[in-house]
Amino acid sequence: MKNALRAYGALLRLYPASYRQEFGAEMLQTFRDHYFDIQNSKAETGAVFWFSAIVDETKNIVRQNVSSLGDANGFFKPSWPKVLTALFVLPFYVLCSAATVKLSLAIPHPAVSGLGAVLALAMTLVIVPAAISVVSSYFLAFSIVRMFRRKRTASA
Amino acid sequence: MTDIEDLLPLTPAVFHILLVLAKGEKHGYEIMKQVQLDSSGGVRMGNGTLYGSIKRMLADDLIADAGEKPGDDARRKYYKLTTRGRKVLNAEMKRYVETAALIKSRKLAPTLSLDGARA
């Protein structure tokens, strides 16, 4: 029982702090009751019990962490200026990369010049736009979620 | 606050939790066991689903904290249905009854008894 509670306690640590504070002790107690019954009734094997518990907890851990992201007050707190900055950085970066390609091609050594141009193109066309898209989408999605939450709270 | 109609249809977990609490105050594990019994094992609710649903239901004012029971472990928190929760449950049951009536009137499930017993 002690090991099971310790393992479940470790799972609970993956929840956001606010959620853990509100439901942590109660969830541990419910788990204790459930685990005690399972052990006594032998209705399920330990492996089946743990598998379904981990699958169920994982889904809720992801859900609660995602929903708490918009409430965070740190770096990940989304805002419209961040969305707009992320979107405007892209054309600026494309221009800078185009200039780098042009400069690379001007290098007299053909191997260095070719490698520089390929790297600059790869950064311009794939890696950075992909990263910017992901970051922009994140900020955009959570700004929208937050906007709806505000609307809901205001109408409450 | 969200309109009752906007909350419908309820998820199976929320609907079953409301059904259980309509019969009285219960704590987490009692809810979990009763849901499994009521649904004949059809709705298996783990701790994560249960408390994720409870959090949403508290926010939507469908259920409320009923505190602790004297003599019971202080870590067992009891929940009760709110007036709004009862209204939402009634609205959802009405939807089920109307759907069942439609199925019956169109004879879509001749082998299914709508009086409660599964044929």
Side-chain angles (χ1 to χ4, degrees), chain A residues 1 4-5 8 26-46 48-50 52-54 56-57, chain B residues 27-34 36 43-48 50-51 76:
Chain A
M1 183 66 129
L5 286 176
Y8 189 71
E26 210 183 321
M27 285 176 83
L28 197 63
Q29 181 58 43
T30 303
F31 176 84
R32 185 183 282 126
D33 292 341
H34 193 183
Y35 193 75
F36 183 77
D37 268 9
I38 292 290
Q39 276 196 321
N40 285 341
S41 66
K42 308 263 182 214
E44 279 175 28
T45 62
V48 171
F49 171 78
W50 276 108
S52 55
I54 288 170
D56 188 68
E57 291 296 344
Chain B
H27 64 70
Y29 187 50
E30 281 178 336
I31 297 174
M32 196 190 277
K33 275 198 301 188
Q34 195 57 49
Q36 203 172 337
V43 178
R44 287 177 70 86
M45 200 183 284
N47 245 9
L50 174 67
Y51 283 96
R76 287 199 187 100

Side-chain angles (χ1 to χ4, degrees), chain B residues 10 13-27 31 57-58 60-67 78-91 93:
Chain B
L10 301 174
V14 170
F15 179 59
H16 278 279
I17 293 172
L18 288 177
L19 271 181
V20 170
L21 294 179
K23 282 293 190 185
E25 297 172 4
K26 297 253 185 306
H27 64 70
I31 297 174
M57 292 165 82
L58 286 168
D60 286 331
D61 190 30
L62 302 182
I63 59 171
D65 184 353
Y78 282 73
Y79 293 96
K80 63 181 177 189
L81 207 61
T82 59
T83 313
R84 184 173 150 81
R86 195 167 287 279
K87 280 183 190 165
V88 169
L89 177 63
N90 287 342
M93 287 192 297

